[in-house]
Amino acid sequence: MYRRAVVAGTFAVATAGCVDRLHDVAASTPRDLGVRSRFIDGNPLVDGRSVLDRPEELVTHAASFRSVAAARGALTPDATESREFVERTDFVDDGGDAVLVIAQRLTAPEVKLRLGGISRTGDHSLRIAVDQSGVRGEVETDDPVVKTLLLRLSDERGPPERAIVVIGDGRAGITI
């Protein structure tokens, strides 16, 4: 019993910050889909690629990348944490098996994003639910800030072709 607790504690410490809600996500994600996520408090994307460059009424945005070069090109030079996450991704177009999805939301400063679950909506289509934590009830603010969730997806069926990212009442559809 003690040994199991030590192993579980070591695993929790080793994966801190790398895996978002490991047990909940594992229960709500297809078994043949590998997922890792990282919350970024801010906007790691360059001008023209982020939620800030969308019409004012669109508060949810998503982007996808199949190669390390494309992902690096979309990140600002000072986005260290995001760049580290990208460097640990084995992209499909570079001979690996993963794609990167970046989900963004304009919201209150207290909000954090975390992966809620992923479900299949077709043969190569996914629905990605992202939860907002840190506040209760409806989240409204006069001065919204950008919150970002990076998702590394590897699918045994091959890379997904489409995804719908849902954050609160906002949706963003992407072709991967």
Side-chain angles (χ1 to χ4, degrees):
M1 182 92 132
Y2 174 75
R3 219 178 314 181
R4 272 190 248 164
V6 170
V7 170
T10 302
F11 182 72
V13 169
T15 60
C18 296
V19 180
D20 188 18
R21 292 178 35 186
L22 180 65
H23 299 293
D24 293 344
V25 173
S28 62
T29 301
R31 293 182 190 263
D32 53 358
L33 187 67
V35 181
R36 293 291 179 258
S37 64
R38 165 91 54 190
F39 170 72
I40 304 295
D41 193 6
N43 182 17
L45 295 176
V46 297
D47 291 342
R49 301 296 302 260
S50 78
V51 68
L52 297 172
D53 300 302
R54 304 296 172 247
E56 189 176 307
E57 64 275 3
L58 297 178
V59 296
T60 300
H61 172 65
S64 65
F65 304 93
R66 297 175 52 99
S67 72
V68 70
R72 280 185 198 145
L75 296 173
T76 61
D78 63 339
T80 308
E81 198 173 359
S82 300
R83 289 183 173 279
E84 289 172 1
F85 191 83
V86 166
E87 294 302 322
R88 290 190 306 269
T89 303
D90 294 322
F91 286 94
V92 170
D93 287 355
D94 300 328
D97 64 349
V99 294
L100 177 70
V101 173
I102 299 179
Q104 292 189 310
R105 176 80 174 190
L106 280 173
T107 189
E110 310 78 51
V111 170
K112 292 183 179 178
L113 301 180
R114 64 183 184 185
L115 182 58
I118 299 177
S119 58
R120 293 194 186 279
T121 59
D123 203 21
H124 287 286
S125 299
L126 301 174
R127 180 184 183 277
I128 302 169
V130 177
D131 294 334
Q132 298 179 89
S133 64
V135 295
R136 293 184 185 264
E138 286 296 313
V139 179
E140 291 191 26
T141 181
D142 292 331
D143 193 22
V145 295
V146 179
K147 303 295 179 158
T148 304
L149 187 66
L150 307 175
L151 299 158
R152 180 185 307 130
L153 306 171
S154 56
D155 192 344
E156 290 178 12
R157 297 182 184 184
E161 295 173 1
R162 290 171 299 284
I164 299 219
V165 177
V166 180
I167 306 173
D169 60 354
R171 302 175 146 238
I174 55 173
T175 301
I176 299 175

